[in-house]
Amino acid sequence: MTRRTFSPGRALAWVAMAVFVVVTVFPFWWMIRTALTPAADIYTDNASLLPENPTLINFTRVLGLTTEAEARAAGGSGAHLNFAGYLWNSIVYCSLIAAVQTLFCAMAGYAFARLRFPGRDLVFGIVIAALMVPPIFTLLPNFIFVKDLGLMSTMAGMVAPTILMTPFAVFFLRQFFLSLPRDVEEAAILDGNGPWGIFWRIALPMSRGPLITIGLTTTVWAWKDYLWPLLVGRDEENRLVTVALGVFLQQSPNTQPDWTGLMAASTLSVLPVLVLLIFMGKRLVQSLNFTGSK
Amino acid sequence: MSATKPRDDRRAAWWFLAPVLVGFAVFYGYPAARGVWYSVTDYNMLNTASYVGTENYAKLFADEKFWNSMLVTAWYVVLNIGSQTLLALGVASLMHRLTRSVVLRATLLLPWLVPNVTIGLLWMWLLDTNLGFVNQLLHTFGFDPVGFFTDETWAMPTVAGINTWAYTGYTALLLYAGMLQIPQYLYEGAAIDGAGEWRMFRGITLPLLRPVLALVLVVSMIGSFQIFDTIAVTTKGGPVSATQVIYYFIYQQAFKYFHMGYAAAAAICLALILGLLTAIQMRMLRASRSDLA
């Protein structure tokens, strides 16, 4: 920053920036505000920034904490909702995929970067070529495959295609391991460490940053997953939040969706990533330098 | 042991690679091959797939719905990528010249973290014809309510606008990261020469950002071609077929009508287009060479 002096141009630029921030944040505010509004008020109380009669009933009823009669009285359609359960499923789904995939891709990335074995570059090239296959293409055969294996409506079937690897994570972590200084590892070899010892005791601890980056990015993408869980995890017991939101909307009568309930459920689907953003915001923002421009 | 003997980690290496290679073979390689095979069969998930040659492709190229979905997708990509890239470029340059605030950057990232399903629902509510905030606002200013999702002309621009809203912040941050790589002294020198902000943007930022811009453009276009979630939640391809994008077309052929072979053929067409686009765009923008290197 060379100049910090006031100028009309800079003031205008700040105003434009502020408008953009408001446009970005306001819809979320309106979502929360609607979630806190009693369903009966929705026709009359929709002009102010805060609800006139704030209530938590929409949250308790979508979380499945009220009786069916209470939920119906508060504007629900009577269909059973259990967003506490769906949130839990989503958290399990994301954690499993992020943790296991990151570890396996780190192992492979390390092997491609550091170990010497015949056919290394060829195998790496083939794995990376998968980056060019659009997901829809493998989606249909994978669906049939998972169905044939009898894994429909199981967590195993839902995580199967992504838990072992994604080409991007392998590529990203290999690039990182290539950039690690070799001398530490060479010292460890002279100390009698094998590849496993070096990987666990030296390479992994030195790569905390990139591992967290990949883990976080994977978590966010898994949290947003919709199509695959929609196909494989339709059942109530293993429904993810995204799938459950879609089902909730369909259950609503066409004439007038249960907006207060829908917005409460939407708020719940945002909360976990909001927490992630508050605690890991800096890391997430920095990860964009990593994954985006290289 | 001697350090001079060439190392061979063959045995360890296959253990390191085993999970990823299994994952690759079972969920990428094998299904890709199966996808090609399905595209030349009449498979419907209940029968045994039998070879039909190029019949699926012939039918596809004669199918008006397929061409319509291609056209609709192209329209979406133009609307979405056009508005999103321009806006993101604007926001990124503003940020670049104004502040390095991490809080601001994290705020702009918020919509990117949220599932597209949630975003679709959120905007269905904001744009609801009767009760939605936006239509209330239009009403206050004396306009008639707009059926954003139910009007054939409005539906696609609405969906494109929603995704522009959701991904502009993220795209801006990628461009911003690219701008940070431009040496600061170039701006200082230009300022001494009396160049204004606009001239600096045209003369320094834009040309030096080109490789990053090209990359971001390619990546977001490839994402844009695969739009599905927002449409599956909001318009379901309608009204009529105004938002029947190619991904939704494939989805319906496969999982509504169980025309697996037909859907696989359409998926291959999409894959080819995506590959071709990447190649053309890379060449057009000469992205392989960085002006800074």
Side-chain angles (χ1 to χ4, degrees):
Chain A
M1 289 293 85
T2 47
R3 295 168 303 153
R4 288 232 173 246
T5 49
F6 177 83
S7 75
R10 280 182 78 81
L12 204 68
W14 272 113
V15 170
M17 198 70 224
V19 168
F20 188 75
V21 170
V22 169
V23 171
T24 302
V25 174
F26 178 77
F28 292 110
W29 176 251
W30 201 248
M31 167 182 82
I32 298 168
R33 186 242 186 255
T34 307
L36 295 170
T37 309
D41 286 8
I42 203 156
Y43 293 95
T44 51
D45 173 22
N46 47 25
S48 60
L49 279 179
L50 287 169
E52 280 165 27
N53 310 302
T55 174
L56 288 175
I57 182 73
N58 297 313
F59 287 99
T60 47
R61 68 186 170 94
V62 298
L63 283 169
L65 301 173
T66 57
T67 64
E68 204 182 293
E70 283 172 314
R72 211 186 276 273
S77 69
H80 174 70
L81 291 172
N82 174 19
F83 270 85
Y86 313 143
L87 277 169
W88 174 247
N89 291 339
S90 277
I91 290 170
V92 170
Y93 176 80
C94 291
S95 319
L96 269 176
I97 290 178
V100 178
Q101 190 206 86
T102 305
L103 174 68
F104 285 162
C105 291
M107 280 162 51
Y110 183 77
F112 283 132
R114 279 292 196 267
L115 302 184
R116 294 173 202 181
F117 55 95
R120 181 179 71 178
D121 295 340
L122 179 69
V123 175
F124 179 67
I126 293 172
V127 170
I128 290 313
L131 274 172
M132 302 208 300
V133 181
I136 186 86
F137 192 50
T138 44
L139 184 97
L140 312 178
N142 274 342
F143 173 79
I144 296 162
F145 183 59
V146 164
K147 194 166 147 279
D148 290 346
L149 287 179
L151 291 177
M152 288 296 281
S153 296
T154 63
M155 189 53 88
M158 285 159 74
V159 299
T162 35
I163 198 165
L164 293 177
M165 61 104 53
T166 60
F168 177 75
V170 174
F171 173 74
F172 176 82
L173 290 167
R174 170 187 177 263
Q175 295 308 96
F176 173 77
F177 285 124
L178 280 177
S179 73
L180 269 185
R182 276 176 189 272
D183 34 356
V184 190
E185 287 166 68
E186 270 153 21
I189 293 176
L190 294 181
D191 287 347
N193 280 295
W196 282 106
I198 299 171
F199 176 71
W200 285 108
R201 282 195 284 274
I202 294 164
L204 270 193
M206 280 171 85
S207 357
R208 276 193 56 186
L211 288 176
I212 293 175
T213 296
I214 273 292
L216 271 180
T217 322
T218 309
T219 308
V220 171
W221 283 116
W223 189 259
K224 295 162 69 160
D225 269 350
Y226 181 59
L227 182 48
W228 178 257
L230 173 74
L231 295 173
V232 179
R234 257 179 213 276
D235 281 11
E236 168 80 26
E237 311 86 70
N238 43 42
R239 209 176 273 166
L240 299 188
V241 167
T242 47
V243 179
L245 278 173
V247 174
F248 187 8
L249 177 68
Q250 279 164 10
Q251 286 166 344
S252 287
N254 274 331
T255 45
Q256 181 58 51
D258 174 9
W259 285 120
T260 54
L262 281 166
M263 287 303 110
S266 298
T267 305
L268 291 171
S269 78
V270 176
L271 270 184
V273 279
L274 195 64
V275 172
L276 200 72
L277 189 67
I278 289 166
F279 287 100
M280 308 291 275
K282 198 167 180 186
R283 178 73 74 175
L284 264 171
V285 165
Q286 284 167 347
S287 75
L288 293 188
N289 304 4
F290 261 67
T291 51
S293 59
K294 283 291 161 198
Chain B
M1 69 173 254
S2 70
T4 49
K5 189 181 152 203
R7 260 169 62 208
D8 189 344
D9 306 312
R10 193 179 309 215
R11 281 184 48 206
W14 294 114
W15 285 111
F16 271 88
L17 291 176
V20 158
L21 289 185
V22 169
F24 175 79
V26 176
F27 292 105
Y28 286 86
Y30 173 60
R34 259 182 112 169
V36 176
W37 162 243
Y38 286 142
S39 82
V40 292
T41 65
D42 63 351
Y43 191 48
N44 65 13
M45 286 212 277
L46 295 173
N47 65 348
T48 324
S50 61
Y51 180 73
V52 294
T54 55
E55 199 181 287
N56 286 325
Y57 292 94
K59 253 186 0 201
L60 197 63
F61 293 139
D63 187 343
E64 254 174 59
K65 280 188 176 162
F66 170 71
W67 290 112
N68 172 65
S69 74
M70 283 293 187
L71 218 63
V72 165
T73 311
W75 177 224
Y76 167 79
V77 171
V78 168
L79 286 170
N80 171 239
I81 295 299
S83 57
Q84 178 176 299
T85 311
L86 281 178
L87 269 172
L89 197 58
V91 171
S93 339
L94 285 179
M95 248 190 332
H96 180 53
R97 303 301 290 158
L98 287 176
T99 175
R100 299 279 179 270
S101 163
V102 173
V103 175
L104 177 65
R105 280 191 267 168
T107 311
L108 297 189
L109 198 58
L110 181 59
W112 175 73
L113 294 166
V114 175
N116 292 325
V117 176
T118 310
I119 286 171
L121 272 174
L122 178 53
W123 281 98
M124 270 180 94
W125 167 228
L126 283 163
L127 299 174
D128 186 72
T129 317
N130 302 313
L131 296 170
F133 180 83
V134 175
N135 271 316
Q136 303 246 359
L137 210 62
L138 288 176
H139 180 73
T140 317
F141 289 109
F143 293 100
D144 287 334
V146 177
F148 287 101
F149 291 107
T150 46
D151 185 304
E152 249 183 274
T153 359
W154 275 105
M156 197 39 120
T158 302
V159 172
I162 291 172
N163 280 344
T164 296
W165 173 82
Y167 287 92
T168 295
Y170 174 72
T171 313
L173 290 184
L174 294 179
L175 295 177
Y176 173 80
M179 288 177 185
L180 288 182
Q181 291 171 358
I182 300 172
Q184 191 65 36
Y185 66 80
L186 291 176
Y187 292 96
E188 284 158 12
I192 291 167
D193 291 344
E197 291 289 342
W198 178 244
R199 270 200 58 200
M200 288 195 226
F201 177 73
R202 295 270 320 257
I204 302 170
T205 312
L206 215 47
L208 290 183
L209 193 67
R210 205 183 55 210
V212 174
L213 190 60
L215 195 76
V216 169
L217 211 57
V218 170
V219 171
S220 42
M221 262 185 98
I222 289 172
S224 194
F225 259 95
Q226 303 180 47
I227 171 162
F228 174 80
D229 301 1
T230 320
I231 281 174
V233 173
T234 58
T235 62
K236 302 204 183 310
V240 194
S241 52
T243 58
Q244 178 87 342
V245 288
I246 182 70
Y247 232 76
Y248 204 75
F249 175 83
I250 296 171
Y251 168 79
Q252 283 196 317
Q253 289 299 331
F255 300 107
K256 193 174 167 195
Y257 309 121
F258 303 109
H259 298 157
M260 279 295 170
Y262 197 56
I268 288 186
C269 292
L270 177 62
L272 286 178
I273 290 172
L274 289 179
L276 195 72
L277 261 169
T278 315
I280 292 174
Q281 206 164 26
M282 282 299 189
R283 180 159 293 193
M284 246 169 44
L285 290 155
R286 282 175 289 157
S288 47
R289 272 191 290 137
S290 163
D291 293 4
L292 276 178

Coordinates of all heavy atoms in Angstrom, one line a residue, chain B residues 173-206:
Chain B
L173 N -11.2 -13.9 -5.1 CA -10.1 -14.3 -4.2 C -9.0 -15.0 -5.0 O -7.8 -14.7 -4.8 CB -10.5 -15.1 -3.0 CG -11.3 -14.4 -2.0 CD1 -11.6 -15.3 -0.8 CD2 -10.7 -13.1 -1.5
L174 N -9.4 -15.8 -6.0 CA -8.3 -16.4 -6.8 C -7.6 -15.4 -7.7 O -6.4 -15.4 -7.8 CB -9.0 -17.5 -7.8 CG -9.6 -18.7 -7.1 CD1 -10.2 -19.6 -8.2 CD2 -8.6 -19.5 -6.3
L175 N -8.4 -14.5 -8.2 CA -7.8 -13.4 -9.0 C -6.9 -12.5 -8.2 O -5.8 -12.1 -8.6 CB -8.8 -12.6 -9.8 CG -9.6 -13.3 -10.8 CD1 -10.7 -12.4 -11.4 CD2 -8.8 -13.9 -11.9
Y176 N -7.4 -12.2 -7.0 CA -6.7 -11.4 -6.0 C -5.3 -12.0 -5.7 O -4.3 -11.3 -5.7 CB -7.5 -11.2 -4.8 CG -6.9 -10.5 -3.6 CD1 -6.7 -9.1 -3.6 CD2 -6.4 -11.2 -2.6 CE1 -6.1 -8.5 -2.6 CE2 -5.8 -10.6 -1.5 CZ -5.7 -9.2 -1.5 OH -5.1 -8.6 -0.4
A177 N -5.3 -13.3 -5.4 CA -4.1 -14.0 -5.2 C -3.1 -13.9 -6.3 O -1.9 -13.7 -6.1 CB -4.4 -15.5 -4.9
G178 N -3.6 -13.9 -7.5 CA -2.8 -13.7 -8.7 C -2.2 -12.3 -8.7 O -1.1 -12.1 -9.1
M179 N -3.1 -11.3 -8.4 CA -2.6 -9.9 -8.4 C -1.5 -9.7 -7.4 O -0.6 -8.8 -7.6 CB -3.8 -9.0 -8.1 CG -4.8 -8.9 -9.2 SD -6.2 -7.9 -8.7 CE -7.3 -8.1 -10.1
L180 N -1.6 -10.4 -6.3 CA -0.5 -10.2 -5.2 C 0.8 -10.6 -5.8 O 1.9 -10.2 -5.2 CB -0.9 -11.0 -4.0 CG -2.0 -10.5 -3.1 CD1 -2.2 -11.4 -1.9 CD2 -1.8 -9.1 -2.7
Q181 N 0.9 -11.4 -6.8 CA 2.2 -11.9 -7.4 C 2.8 -10.8 -8.2 O 3.9 -10.9 -8.6 CB 2.0 -13.2 -8.2 CG 1.7 -14.3 -7.3 CD 1.3 -15.6 -8.1 OE1 1.3 -15.5 -9.3 NE2 1.0 -16.7 -7.4
I182 N 2.0 -9.8 -8.6 CA 2.5 -8.7 -9.5 C 3.4 -7.8 -8.6 O 2.9 -7.4 -7.6 CB 1.4 -7.9 -10.1 CG1 0.5 -8.8 -11.0 CG2 1.9 -6.7 -10.9 CD1 -0.7 -8.2 -11.5
P183 N 4.7 -7.6 -9.0 CA 5.6 -6.8 -8.1 C 5.0 -5.4 -7.9 O 4.5 -4.7 -8.8 CB 6.8 -6.7 -9.0 CG 6.8 -7.7 -10.0 CD 5.3 -8.0 -10.2
Q184 N 5.1 -5.0 -6.6 CA 4.5 -3.7 -6.2 C 5.2 -2.5 -6.9 O 4.6 -1.5 -7.1 CB 4.7 -3.6 -4.7 CG 3.9 -2.5 -4.0 CD 2.4 -2.6 -4.2 OE1 1.8 -3.7 -4.1 NE2 1.7 -1.5 -4.4
Y185 N 6.5 -2.7 -7.2 CA 7.3 -1.5 -7.7 C 6.8 -1.1 -9.0 O 6.9 0.1 -9.4 CB 8.8 -1.8 -7.7 CG 9.2 -2.9 -8.7 CD1 9.3 -2.6 -10.1 CD2 9.4 -4.2 -8.3 CE1 9.6 -3.6 -11.0 CE2 9.8 -5.2 -9.2 CZ 9.9 -4.9 -10.6 OH 10.2 -5.9 -11.4
L186 N 6.1 -2.0 -9.8 CA 5.5 -1.6 -11.1 C 4.5 -0.5 -10.9 O 4.4 0.5 -11.6 CB 4.9 -2.8 -11.8 CG 5.9 -3.8 -12.3 CD1 5.1 -5.0 -12.9 CD2 6.8 -3.2 -13.3
Y187 N 3.7 -0.7 -9.8 CA 2.6 0.3 -9.5 C 3.2 1.6 -9.0 O 2.8 2.7 -9.4 CB 1.6 -0.2 -8.5 CG 0.8 -1.4 -9.0 CD1 1.2 -2.7 -8.8 CD2 -0.3 -1.1 -9.7 CE1 0.4 -3.7 -9.3 CE2 -1.1 -2.1 -10.2 CZ -0.7 -3.4 -10.0 OH -1.5 -4.5 -10.5
E188 N 4.3 1.5 -8.2 CA 4.9 2.7 -7.6 C 5.5 3.5 -8.8 O 5.4 4.7 -8.8 CB 6.0 2.3 -6.6 CG 5.4 1.9 -5.3 CD 6.3 1.0 -4.4 OE1 7.5 0.8 -4.8 OE2 5.7 0.4 -3.5
G189 N 6.2 2.8 -9.7 CA 6.8 3.5 -10.8 C 5.7 4.2 -11.7 O 5.9 5.4 -12.0
A190 N 4.6 3.5 -11.9 CA 3.6 4.1 -12.7 C 3.0 5.3 -12.1 O 2.6 6.3 -12.7 CB 2.5 3.0 -13.0
A191 N 2.8 5.2 -10.7 CA 2.3 6.3 -10.0 C 3.2 7.6 -10.1 O 2.7 8.7 -10.2 CB 2.1 5.9 -8.5
I192 N 4.5 7.3 -10.0 CA 5.4 8.4 -10.2 C 5.3 9.1 -11.6 O 5.3 10.3 -11.7 CB 6.9 7.9 -9.9 CG1 7.0 7.6 -8.5 CG2 7.9 9.0 -10.3 CD1 8.3 6.8 -8.1
D193 N 5.1 8.2 -12.6 CA 4.9 8.7 -13.9 C 3.5 9.4 -14.1 O 3.2 9.8 -15.2 CB 5.0 7.6 -15.0 CG 6.4 7.1 -15.0 OD1 7.3 7.8 -14.5 OD2 6.6 6.0 -15.5
G194 N 2.7 9.4 -13.0 CA 1.4 10.1 -13.1 C 0.3 9.3 -13.7 O -0.7 9.8 -14.1
A195 N 0.4 7.9 -13.7 CA -0.6 7.1 -14.2 C -1.8 7.0 -13.2 O -1.5 6.9 -12.0 CB -0.1 5.7 -14.6
G196 N -3.0 7.1 -13.7 CA -4.2 6.9 -12.8 C -4.5 5.5 -12.6 O -3.8 4.6 -13.2
E197 N -5.4 5.2 -11.7 CA -5.8 3.8 -11.4 C -6.2 3.0 -12.6 O -5.8 1.9 -12.8 CB -6.9 3.8 -10.3 CG -6.5 4.2 -9.0 CD -5.6 3.3 -8.3 OE1 -5.5 2.1 -8.7 OE2 -4.9 3.7 -7.3
W198 N -7.0 3.6 -13.5 CA -7.5 2.9 -14.6 C -6.4 2.5 -15.6 O -6.4 1.4 -16.1 CB -8.6 3.8 -15.3 CG -9.1 3.2 -16.6 CD1 -9.0 3.7 -17.9 CD2 -9.9 2.0 -16.7 NE1 -9.6 2.8 -18.7 CE2 -10.2 1.8 -18.0 CE3 -10.4 1.1 -15.7 CZ2 -10.9 0.7 -18.5 CZ3 -11.1 0.0 -16.2 CH2 -11.4 -0.2 -17.5
R199 N -5.5 3.5 -15.8 CA -4.3 3.2 -16.7 C -3.5 2.1 -16.1 O -2.9 1.2 -16.8 CB -3.5 4.4 -16.9 CG -4.0 5.2 -18.2 CD -2.9 6.1 -18.7 NE -1.7 5.4 -19.0 CZ -0.5 6.0 -19.2 NH1 -0.4 7.3 -18.9 NH2 0.6 5.3 -19.5
M200 N -3.3 2.1 -14.7 CA -2.5 1.0 -14.1 C -3.2 -0.3 -14.3 O -2.6 -1.3 -14.5 CB -2.4 1.3 -12.6 CG -1.4 2.4 -12.3 SD -1.0 2.4 -10.5 CE -1.2 4.0 -10.1
F201 N -4.5 -0.3 -14.2 CA -5.3 -1.5 -14.3 C -5.1 -2.1 -15.8 O -4.8 -3.3 -16.0 CB -6.8 -1.3 -14.0 CG -7.6 -2.5 -14.2 CD1 -7.6 -3.5 -13.3 CD2 -8.5 -2.6 -15.3 CE1 -8.4 -4.7 -13.5 CE2 -9.3 -3.7 -15.5 CZ -9.2 -4.7 -14.6
R202 N -5.3 -1.2 -16.7 CA -5.1 -1.6 -18.1 C -3.7 -2.0 -18.5 O -3.5 -2.9 -19.3 CB -5.6 -0.5 -19.1 CG -7.1 -0.2 -19.0 CD -8.0 -1.0 -19.9 NE -7.4 -1.2 -21.2 CZ -7.7 -0.5 -22.3 NH1 -8.6 0.4 -22.3 NH2 -7.1 -0.8 -23.5
G203 N -2.8 -1.2 -18.0 CA -1.4 -1.4 -18.4 C -0.6 -2.4 -17.6 O 0.4 -3.0 -18.1
I204 N -0.9 -2.6 -16.3 CA -0.1 -3.5 -15.5 C -0.9 -4.7 -15.1 O -0.6 -5.8 -15.4 CB 0.4 -2.7 -14.2 CG1 1.2 -1.5 -14.6 CG2 1.2 -3.7 -13.4 CD1 1.6 -0.6 -13.5
T205 N -2.0 -4.4 -14.3 CA -2.8 -5.6 -13.7 C -3.3 -6.5 -14.8 O -3.0 -7.8 -14.7 CB -4.0 -5.0 -12.9 OG1 -3.5 -4.0 -12.1 CG2 -4.6 -6.1 -12.1
L206 N -4.0 -6.0 -15.8 CA -4.6 -6.9 -16.7 C -3.6 -7.8 -17.5 O -3.8 -9.0 -17.5 CB -5.5 -6.1 -17.6 CG -6.8 -6.8 -18.1 CD1 -7.6 -7.4 -16.9 CD2 -7.7 -5.8 -18.8

